[in-house]
Amino acid sequence: MILDFRELEKTHTFVGSKAYVLAMMAQNNLPVPAGMILSHLPETEQDWKRIESWWIEQVSVPLAVRSSAFGEDSEEMSFAGQNQTFLNVKTVEELKNAIKACFKSIDREASQSYRQFFMGEKKDVPMNVVLQVMVNAQYAGVYFSVNPTRAEEGAVLEYVEGLGESLVSGQVNPFRIFKKTDLSEGPLTRTILDKVFELGTKVEEKLSQKIDMEWAIDAQSNVYLLQARPITSARSETKQKMYLQAELERINKSYPTETWWDGQTFAEWTGQPSRLTFEVWKRAFAPGGAFDDSLQELGYLGFTDKSYSPHEAIMDRLFGRAFINMAKMVPLYFGPIPYRIDPSPRPHLKFEWYKVSATGILNTPKSLWRMVSVGWNMSTNRRTWIEKSRKELVEFKHKMQRPQNGSFYASWKDEELLNIWQKEVANFSRVSLKWPLNLVVLIEATHQSLRAVLSSVVGKDKVEDYLQRWMGAGLKTATFEMNRYFSRALEEPLKREFFFSRFGHRGPGELDLSHPRWEELGDSAFGGGKSKDAVTHSDFDVEAEIHSLKTFKDSVLVEEWRFLKELLELREQWKMEILRPYAHIRYISLELGRRVGLGQDIFHVTVEEVEELAGKKGSLDLIKNKIKRRKEELDAYKGIYLPDVLKKQEVGACLNKIDISSSSLRGIPLSHGVVKGTVRVVNDPSEVDFSNWPEDAILVAPATDPGWTALFTRSRGVIVERGGVLSHCAILARELGLPSINLPRATQILKNGDRIWLDGHNGGVKNDNI
């Protein structure tokens, strides 16, 4: 079907919301530029001639060629940026190529990933294409019936000079005007702006709903409607506040005043973990889980059946994010001692009189002996633990061998599939995480020991410089090797099969079960183009630099450095191996989701709910209603920033708006270097379109993991909101020679297109736009 806007019948909603709304508005005599709808790729010469004849009727002015997939620009989904758009098409050859590319864009990985996330699968949807006369725009912008973030402020519009593409892509900061006020901002007069508000009101009346409208103004001050759709991004402010208030009340009722949480254990989780991911990990921090075994291995008390010991998991979920409850953690170390862990300036034990009790006094000798014993073991038994960890790793690799992917699970019987899923979940939460958690504790203790000795030699102000240099050039981790092979596979596609065979179980956001692995992404894992530089490793000799310090503490520094280096490299080896069986929890979950009728939504349920559904005991409709609510909750929590260390009395303040207008910011240095570049904010690496990736990109993200390699190799610097100097992000950045810092609220403060200076030496960011 090839029709002019004015020829479309009202029942033909299959052409997609964008095309349908434009056609209906044109038929209602609103100022819509002339347009045509193609419901299929022209196949005959007659089809092409029909299009060319229509174009000639428009005096062959430049055209915009835009997608209008079924469901696109609907109330549920916007498909923003997922399918292609071509502007200023001026020749027949350009038009044909644009139409073909637009129809083909439905098969792009970005579009498929979007459909998989929002629709539960990468199912095909009907694609339509809109041809529309370009407006010679002097100004262009967007109009919202209500402010998407603050509904009480009413209608609002934003605009820029020239085409609106730079606004919707986030490349420039627009002028913003509210209908309720008489003020105007920018070069347009209030009289002209009121014409836009009037047009928005008319479209809103015709569609009988709140809208998001794109518009343009030509040199004669004529206002044109370019697109209109329901406001997909406008979460109900009332519902959002309801969820936020309910979560705040839950936290206030559930935890004592002195409670505080530490989220650094989960710093690499990019965003909010899916419900299933959280539940699997939570079991590791419950009695009998991997963390319990890890504590006892190192000499701590662990969970007990005593009244002073917690009898449930110490992992909590706050506004969708995972935290360790440090108030519950204290008795797991030494029992009922009259101390609490104070998070500032670094976590340390602080005596408190009100915690003195008869039980505590009776257990004091045991607690003191345990403290001394653990301290002694930490300083003298590290070699023993390292060797034991290596031996356990060899056995783990042998026992946990898994096929490269999970395609074979499709042939398994229901009962067999559920049984193996339960075993994989139990193995991960009780066995797999034990030694990685041991190593985390040993690394932190060794890091602090090395810092203390080094500080006494070079001074506190120089410690960070030395440690960053040593960890950047002195380590050679399994992750570094993975990145090296990734770069080779990126440059030479024939090497990709080998890369997938070794590292296909890894991927962006890999700690969350809902995120695909590299072997699932295939060639799309590498994006387009080439990496910034080949991954190389420095031959810098750390021990030679230590000897050059000419200190009597030389041998102690060398020993502590060797221990830290060995522990960090061993941690990466363990991570490489535990993620193999972990990937199979995802593969089996996907197959279970397909069988029970949830698809990708399987990741929004708990372990118990999976077992009920797979065992045909649970109600699918009831679970779907729970999933719907959980998605709404996560959506409401998205704009909430929580620091890694959070006290209960500070939780309410996290819901307040903050002033983020400063042009000069300060964070924590993670990797040295100074660079100038263009900000690219990324929350989900699977949604990145490398065709629009800046040459001088500075990656800004909530957190990263080794699966973000494709972005690291195309960036000049990295800014994250979470993660310290021993995080995988910091180590990878140093290995690749990228300046990097930890900057709280970075994804809220910095915007796509911002030009900034990133100072990895001092942790500074300066906006170069000012």
Side-chain angles (χ1 to χ4, degrees), residues 514-530:
S514 67
H515 289 197
R517 314 291 117 163
W518 272 329
E519 67 88 14
E520 296 175 77
L521 295 173
D523 286 342
S524 66
F526 299 93
K530 297 185 177 182

Side-chain angles (χ1 to χ4, degrees), residues 508-551:
E510 60 195 1
L511 296 185
D512 196 319
L513 291 167
S514 67
H515 289 197
R517 314 291 117 163
W518 272 329
E519 67 88 14
E520 296 175 77
L521 295 173
D523 286 342
S524 66
F526 299 93
K530 297 185 177 182
S531 61
K532 175 176 65 69
D533 291 300
V535 178
T536 58
H537 202 280
S538 168
D539 293 326
F540 177 77
D541 190 335
V542 173
E543 293 187 20
E545 181 167 90
I546 292 175
H547 294 316
S548 71
L549 295 175
K550 306 294 184 181
T551 173

Side-chain angles (χ1 to χ4, degrees), residues 326 341 760:
M326 301 304 291
I341 300 179

Side-chain angles (χ1 to χ4, degrees), residues 172-424:
V172 298
N173 293 320
F175 300 110
R176 169 177 280 200
I177 296 90
F178 291 92
K179 186 177 182 179
K180 285 184 177 180
T181 69
D182 294 327
L183 303 176
S184 63
E185 183 180 340
L188 287 177
T189 66
R190 184 68 195 203
T191 301
I192 295 177
L193 293 171
D194 283 339
K195 290 183 180 180
V196 180
F197 283 120
E198 289 170 11
L199 176 60
T201 301
K202 289 179 181 179
V203 175
E204 192 177 331
E205 290 172 352
K206 297 293 183 184
L207 296 178
S208 300
Q209 56 188 319
K210 305 298 183 183
I211 62 160
D212 160 0
M213 177 183 78
E214 294 181 24
W215 52 272
I217 295 176
D218 65 11
Q220 288 73 45
S221 298
N222 296 312
V223 180
Y224 291 93
L225 167 62
L226 305 182
Q227 183 175 324
R229 60 187 170 225
I231 302 180
T232 56
S233 62
R235 298 185 294 268
S236 166
E237 182 112 344
T238 301
K239 182 173 285 188
Q240 182 187 21
K241 288 181 177 179
M242 178 191 74
Y243 284 130
L244 293 177
Q245 188 61 36
E247 176 67 352
L248 186 59
E249 289 176 2
R250 182 191 70 82
I251 293 171
N252 286 332
K253 290 179 181 178
S254 303
Y255 304 104
T257 304
E258 67 273 13
T259 303
W260 71 278
W261 295 271
D262 188 342
Q264 295 179 79
T265 303
F266 313 107
E268 289 183 37
W269 282 4
T270 51
Q272 304 154 320
S274 65
R275 179 74 58 155
L276 184 58
T277 300
F278 178 84
E279 292 290 330
V280 170
W281 280 76
K282 183 177 180 179
R283 290 181 171 218
F285 290 88
F291 184 64
D292 192 6
D293 285 349
S294 174
L295 288 175
Q296 295 182 44
E297 176 76 32
L298 295 173
Y300 294 110
L301 187 61
F303 289 91
T304 72
D305 58 0
K306 304 294 184 181
S307 60
Y308 57 76
S309 175
H311 299 96
E312 68 284 325
I314 61 170
M315 184 172 165
D316 294 334
R317 191 178 179 95
L318 310 176
F319 291 99
R321 270 193 61 189
F323 287 86
I324 295 298
N325 187 319
M326 301 304 291
K328 293 180 181 178
M329 177 84 87
V330 173
L332 300 183
Y333 285 133
F334 306 114
I337 58 176
Y339 288 85
R340 66 177 174 86
I341 300 179
D342 193 324
S344 301
R346 295 188 61 84
H348 62 280
L349 290 176
K350 186 174 181 179
F351 182 82
E352 295 200 328
W353 280 106
Y354 78 90
K355 288 191 174 183
V356 175
S357 64
T359 302
I361 293 173
L362 289 174
N363 282 274
T364 295
K366 293 181 182 179
S367 299
L368 290 174
W369 170 250
R370 193 176 299 278
M371 287 182 185
V372 173
S373 178
V374 169
W376 176 257
N377 284 335
M378 285 288 181
S379 61
T380 61
N381 285 347
R382 283 178 295 183
R383 174 54 54 197
T384 301
W385 278 325
I386 287 174
E387 295 307 320
K388 188 172 182 179
S389 178
R390 291 192 187 283
K391 180 180 177 182
E392 294 278 351
L393 180 60
V394 172
E395 294 181 7
F396 184 89
K397 289 169 70 173
H398 176 70
K399 292 179 180 178
M400 298 295 181
Q401 288 284 342
R402 297 290 187 276
Q404 183 175 335
N405 59 54
S407 57
F408 63 95
Y409 290 122
S411 63
W412 284 36
K413 294 180 179 178
D414 291 349
E415 186 176 351
E416 293 175 330
L417 194 67
L418 178 58
N419 286 339
I420 191 63
W421 184 82
Q422 291 172 320
K423 288 180 181 178
E424 292 286 16

Side-chain angles (χ1 to χ4, degrees), residues 464-465 468-469 665-676 698 716-719 725 733-734 737-742 757-766:
E464 208 59 51
D465 289 339
Q468 286 209 24
R469 185 163 58 252
L665 307 159
R666 183 73 63 186
I668 300 171
L670 300 180
S671 178
H672 280 179
V674 178
V675 68
K676 179 182 178 181
I698 293 179
R716 289 189 178 179
V718 181
I719 300 174
V725 293
R734 289 191 290 264
L738 299 175
S740 180
I741 71 169
N742 174 314
W757 283 97
L758 169 61
D759 182 354
H761 296 287
N762 301 304
V765 172
K766 185 174 182 180

